[in-house]
Amino acid sequence: MNQEETTPDAAAAQPPEAGSPAGQSPAGPPPEHDDREMWSALDAVRRAIEKVEGCNEAERDILLGDLRELRDMARKLRSGRVEIVVFGEISTGKSALINALTGTQSAQVNVRGGWTKDVWRLDWEGAGYVLPGFEQSQVVLVDTPGLNEVGGAERAEMAREAAERADLILFVTDSDLNETEHNALAELATFHKPILLVVNKTDLYTPSQLEDLLDVLRTQRAAGLVDPENIVTTSADPRELQYVIESADGSQRSEWRKPPVDVGGLRERILEVLEADGSSLIALNASMYAADRSDRIAAIRVQMRNQKATQVIRTFAVAKATAVALNPVAVADVAGGLAVDAAMIVTLANVYGLEMSVGRARDLALSLAKAAGWVMLGEAVTSYGSSLLKGISLGAAAPLVAAPQAAAAGYGSYIVGQAARVYFEQGSSWGDKGPKKVVMQVLENTNKASVLGDLKKEIKKKLSKNRHASG
Ligand SMILES: Nc1nc2c(ncn2[C@@H]2O[C@H](COP(=O)(O)OP(=O)(O)OP(=O)(O)O)[C@@H](O)[C@H]2O)c(=O)[nH]1
Ligand SMILES: [Mg+2]
């Protein structure tokens, strides 16, 4: 079935394309209650997509997987696709259950644990559920690798992610939930979506054993995690049994036969849950998913920009310090010092996806140096004031003798850079603090000795590489 296809009715009820301009101002009469939930969910997904699209190339590379998933979530919402994930420990019969529900042999079943290696989806054609307003909605069953597979941490993570996207979780077990299963179930319960606990392989239990098992699950092991009415029993792929058949003439023969598959109760409960909450479930799930992704996108972006900004500030601070050490007269006058800091600020603006002219960057550098004022007097004088004197008095010996002053000049740039970074992080604003307070805060949060030590080390390295300086 083509998930993009819609009937005219369904198309009228559906929210517009995510990420498209048309999606920003939905026209037409106000939507019904359920539709409104779907619209706002799609809007949340669309905004998360736009967030990724607004990132720079390096950030987008890292967020490619998130972008793909978000676009798929938008498609899911537009077509009204319902996803049911089948989750649980290895060999509990997850794949067999999918086959039994769909009446196919699509999922690979095997006695060897750890058989299913990937997350994959199967269209459940005969599910018998249609999402209101989405005549061609699909119900999809998602098979996942089993928990607790040897070396399967990555696969368990894949299964977890599939559960995070899904609208309904089938947690399959064949016992009273061991520690791994219990922990996984407890984690899934935090996703705030319905969980059906499927007790499979009931053919292996006597009726009284099964009753005891269900009682333990309801009252102890799954209590507080799964509603008692959501604990259902199945027999997805029952073992063959030896039947003794008596003929009319009194002779007997034995035959191995497979008892009937039993997933009727599960199917019924799935439909009840979907009928009761379908649209809300899907909308709520998509909204939570989008919120979660947005947080992740923002966190990754901040982290990447911070890393890059730190690199830029360090590179410029080292460049300034080295230049001062090599040639205090030319570089460390006010204009020379400012030029380096202005270039750093322009580069930092780019890191935060902003444009800034060199002139404006110079003004900012100067105002930051001023804001640092008396607090940084020692450094400021070295950076912007006394270089001429120093150059003249130190003469030919300047490069080596000037190392501490050069490090101090680099430190000045470091502080200016850190303050500028706060400015850009806040969207080119000093917020309610003003530049002076920001500089003070940066100074407070900076381990001066360590920055100076680092700069001195760099100067030494650079000077020893410079044949003029070392000669
Ligand atoms: N007796 C009995 N065996 C079953 C039942 N359902 C599945 N099995 C058997 O359990 C074994 C594992 O079944 P699968 O469906 O491959 O289990 P799975 O959970 O998908 O396993 P992995 O993909 O390895 O995690 C197979 O030998 C199935 O025949 C059942 O209802 N009763
Ligand atoms: Mg499997």
Side-chain angles (χ1 to χ4, degrees), residues 243-273:
Y243 289 86
V244 179
I245 299 154
E246 208 174 284
S247 305
D249 63 4
S251 65
Q252 286 188 345
R253 64 189 169 85
S254 69
E255 207 177 280
W256 287 90
R257 280 193 204 159
K258 218 177 182 44
V261 165
D262 175 18
V263 291
L266 171 62
R267 187 197 168 112
E268 209 171 288
R269 187 64 196 142
I270 290 173
L271 290 178
E272 275 170 15
V273 171

Side-chain angles (χ1 to χ4, degrees), residues 299-319:
I300 286 181
R301 204 151 86 158
V302 166
Q303 194 192 5
M304 285 189 70
R305 290 182 172 187
N306 270 345
Q307 262 171 13
K308 185 82 187 128
T310 304
Q311 239 173 34
V312 166
I313 294 168
R314 185 172 184 276
T315 306
F316 275 89
V318 167

Side-chain angles (χ1 to χ4, degrees), residues 180-219:
T180 309
E181 289 176 303
H182 187 271
N183 292 344
L185 189 61
E187 194 200 347
L188 293 177
T190 65
F191 290 4
H192 299 293
K193 50 184 84 176
I195 302 176
L196 306 192
L197 179 58
V198 183
V199 183
N200 188 35
K201 304 193 185 179
T202 53
D203 57 297
L204 301 181
Y205 293 92
T206 65
S208 77
Q209 281 173 334
L210 187 60
E211 211 29 69
D212 287 349
L213 173 60
L214 290 174
D215 191 49
V216 168
L217 288 172
R218 283 189 202 112
T219 59

Side-chain angles (χ1 to χ4, degrees), residues 95 108 116 143-144:
S95 301
Q108 288 200 343
T116 305
D143 198 4
T144 65

Side-chain angles (χ1 to χ4, degrees), residues 89-97 108-116 143-146 200-204 234-239:
E89 235 197 338
I90 47 170
S91 284
T92 47
K94 300 179 293 298
S95 301
L97 201 65
Q108 288 200 343
V109 172
N110 201 283
V111 274
R112 273 173 47 195
W115 195 252
T116 305
D143 198 4
T144 65
N200 188 35
K201 304 193 185 179
T202 53
D203 57 297
L204 301 181
T234 56
S235 188
D237 186 16
R239 282 279 158 276

